[in-house]
């Protein structure tokens, strides 16, 4: 049995274990809000959960500012797997059930360059600063929690103004690596799992003194009518099989 097949089988087994512990649970249509950087793992995990549980998932992936807008607009949803920054907004947080959230995944930041080009030295803050100043163009997704952190790194390095002229902003996470692969930007700076794509190579993670993990956390909506099914999906995301897929997509599981 190949590794992907073993992972799928393990995922289904883990899900059956979770579902079997919940009695009298009917099939539900779950509407999920999710951070854009969770696209890879959730797109792989969702069909496994659906097949084993009988529930249906509709996942809306978006940036933190847009997720906050959706939550505070009164839009209907059953649970979120979102950056912790969403919960820093009091109005958005109020849309979720009270109590602790469940951390699902975390990931740090890195730099990519086009495949086949020399990898710059970014091992120290000074080396990263030099690389950014020498680059003709840099791309990332500014309107996101991760983008806000990247901008804060530029500020800490004292190059925020200089970077404005080099910026090639993107509107979705998938466009970052694509822009670098196509030569539209010399380098990309963002969450490492988002940067893993064809046509680019990871120059490395940000230096330790500039590194930070973005945490994605889950909670059910305060007004959901599908609380048990939503809790089942969150529980599945913490199973060993789901954690293995999260790791395979370049992320680490959330801390307990």
């Amino acid at each position: 049995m190949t590794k992907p097949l073993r992972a799928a089988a393990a995922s289904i087994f883990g899900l059956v274990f979770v579902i079997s512990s919940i009695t009298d649970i009917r099939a539900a249509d779950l509407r999920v809000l999710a951070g854009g950087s969770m696209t890879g793992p959730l797109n792989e995990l969702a069909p496994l959960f659906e097949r084993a549980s009988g529930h249906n998932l509709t996942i809306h992936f978006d940036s933190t500012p847009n997720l906050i807008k959706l939550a505070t607009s009164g839009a209907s949803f059953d649970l979120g797997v979102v950056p912790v920054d969403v919960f820093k907004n009091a109005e958005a947080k109020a849309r979720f059930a009270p109590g602790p959230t469940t951390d699902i995944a975390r990931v740090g930041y890195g730099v990519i360059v086009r495949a086949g080009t020399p990898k710059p030295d970014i091992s120290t803050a000074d080396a990263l600063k030099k690389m950014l100043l020498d680059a003709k163009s840099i791309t990332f997704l500014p309107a996101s929690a991760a983008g806000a952190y990247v901008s804060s790194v530029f500020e800490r390095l004292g190059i925020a103004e200089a970077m404005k002229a080099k910026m090639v902003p993107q509107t979705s996470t998938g466009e970052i690596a694509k822009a670098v692969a196509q030569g539209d930007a010399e380098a990309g700076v963002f969450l490492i799992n988002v940067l893993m794509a064809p046509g680019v190579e990871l120059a490395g993670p940000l230096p330790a003194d500039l590194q930070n993990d973005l945490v994605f956390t889950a909670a059910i909506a305060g007004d959901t009518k599908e609380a048990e099914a939503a809790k089942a999906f969150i529980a599945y995301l913490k199973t060993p099989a789901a954690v293995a897929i999260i790791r395979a997509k370049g992320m680490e599981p959330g801390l307990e």
Side-chain angles (χ1 to χ4, degrees):
M1 185 181 289
T2 64
K3 286 184 178 180
L5 288 176
R6 283 199 298 271
S11 295
I12 293 173
F13 177 80
L15 179 56
V16 169
F17 178 79
V18 170
I19 296 300
S20 66
S21 66
I22 302 173
T23 59
D24 194 28
I25 187 169
R26 62 178 178 77
D29 292 317
L30 293 176
R31 295 151 299 181
V32 185
L33 298 184
S37 298
M38 287 294 297
T39 301
L42 289 186
N43 275 347
E44 186 162 333
L45 291 167
L48 298 175
F49 176 82
E50 290 176 328
R51 284 199 295 270
S53 69
H55 300 312
N56 297 310
L57 298 174
T58 300
I59 306 177
H60 178 85
F61 297 101
D62 221 321
S63 64
T64 296
N66 287 337
L67 291 171
I68 291 172
K69 287 179 182 178
L70 281 169
T72 57
S73 71
S76 180
F77 66 96
D78 297 296
L79 74 146
V81 185
V82 298
V84 293
D85 302 68
V86 169
F87 290 88
K88 295 177 182 177
N89 181 285
E91 192 177 351
K93 183 179 179 180
R95 288 295 312 280
F96 292 87
T101 59
T102 303
D103 290 347
I104 301 300
R106 55 191 172 87
V107 63
Y109 295 78
V111 176
I112 52 167
V113 294
R114 190 174 185 180
T117 61
K119 294 182 181 179
D121 176 17
I122 59 167
S123 59
T124 66
D126 285 342
L128 176 64
K129 179 178 180 178
K130 182 180 186 303
M131 171 261 161
L132 291 169
L133 289 175
D134 288 346
K136 294 179 181 178
S137 54
I138 299 291
T139 189
F140 70 110
L141 175 57
S144 64
Y149 183 76
V150 172
S151 295
S152 75
V153 169
F154 297 159
E155 292 173 2
R156 289 170 63 183
L157 293 173
I159 59 173
E161 283 301 316
M163 297 308 297
K164 289 179 180 179
K166 301 171 181 281
M167 199 60 55
V168 182
Q170 303 299 332
T171 57
S172 68
T173 54
E175 297 300 313
I176 300 171
K178 186 182 297 185
V180 176
Q182 294 175 345
D184 297 330
E186 189 171 325
V189 186
F190 210 68
L191 297 171
I192 289 175
N193 70 308
V194 171
L195 300 179
M196 296 169 57
V200 300
E201 293 179 354
L202 187 68
L206 295 190
D209 54 342
L210 294 173
Q211 187 59 272
N212 186 54
D213 278 347
L214 179 59
V215 177
F216 293 83
T217 195
I220 67 171
D223 59 356
T224 179
K225 293 180 174 61
E226 307 292 356
E228 293 305 314
K231 289 175 183 177
F233 183 53
I234 292 173
Y236 172 57
L237 295 178
K238 298 294 286 184
T239 62
V243 165
I245 289 176
I246 287 169
R247 282 200 168 108
K249 295 297 183 179
M251 309 178 86
E252 289 297 319
L255 299 175
E256 296 295 340

